[in-house]
Amino acid sequence: MRRLILSLAASVMLALPAAASASPLEGLWTNPKRSVVVRIAPCGNAWCGKVVSATAREEAKAAKYGMDELEGEQMLTGLRPAGAGRWKGQVFVPKLGRKVGSTVTIASRNQMKVSGCFAGIICKTQLWTRVS
């Protein structure tokens, strides 16, 4: 019986998604204005970033674009490896009220570039900083 339980536990561990291993993405990150903090963590077989805090001004701006609340919103979704120190997925843009294609690139241990493009022609890149 003990052998069966150990065997099942080992099978479960092997089946865990690759995203469950440590990644330089994991943790708290803030945008250039330090008005939003996002926690990046594994979600399924990818990485996602959820807003854990936002200034009153950012909440008001989000409300202007029809969002009830910015805190708790999935800002980054479906981030999957796309090369060394690079992930592709989607970023939610409150001003547009939609998700757009995104690339996240680790610039250094404490900085990452978050890029998003709408219709492949309107693009924006921000340098985010890790929160201690």
Side-chain angles (χ1 to χ4, degrees), residues 99-121:
K99 294 177 183 177
V100 299
S102 179
T103 301
V104 174
T105 307
I106 297 297
S108 71
R109 183 178 178 277
N110 292 315
Q111 291 188 317
M112 70 177 179
K113 292 180 184 176
V114 179
S115 302
C117 289
F118 177 68
I121 54 172

Side-chain angles (χ1 to χ4, degrees), residues 5-20:
I5 292 171
L6 289 174
S7 176
L8 287 172
S11 297
V12 168
M13 293 301 289
L14 289 174
L16 289 176

Side-chain angles (χ1 to χ4, degrees), residues 27-120:
L28 296 172
W29 295 87
T30 187
N31 64 343
K33 293 180 182 179
R34 298 190 180 278
S35 58
V36 174
V37 175
V38 172
R39 178 181 309 279
I40 297 180
C43 60
N45 61 357
W47 292 89
C48 296
K50 185 180 279 192
V51 177
V52 294
S53 69
T55 63
R57 181 175 181 189
E58 288 300 318
E59 287 285 359
K61 283 172 39 180
K64 178 181 171 183
Y65 298 111
M67 292 183 66
D68 292 333
E69 194 170 337
L70 187 55
E71 276 188 45
E73 183 69 39
Q74 283 281 25
M75 185 68 65
L76 296 162
T77 55
L79 294 172
R80 290 186 171 76
R86 199 172 124 180
W87 291 260
K88 286 191 175 271
Q90 294 185 313
V91 62
F92 180 75
V93 181
K95 193 173 191 175
L96 299 174
R98 64 185 303 170
K99 294 177 183 177
V100 299
S102 179
T103 301
V104 174
T105 307
I106 297 297
S108 71
R109 183 178 178 277
N110 292 315
Q111 291 188 317
M112 70 177 179
K113 292 180 184 176
V114 179
S115 302
C117 289
F118 177 68

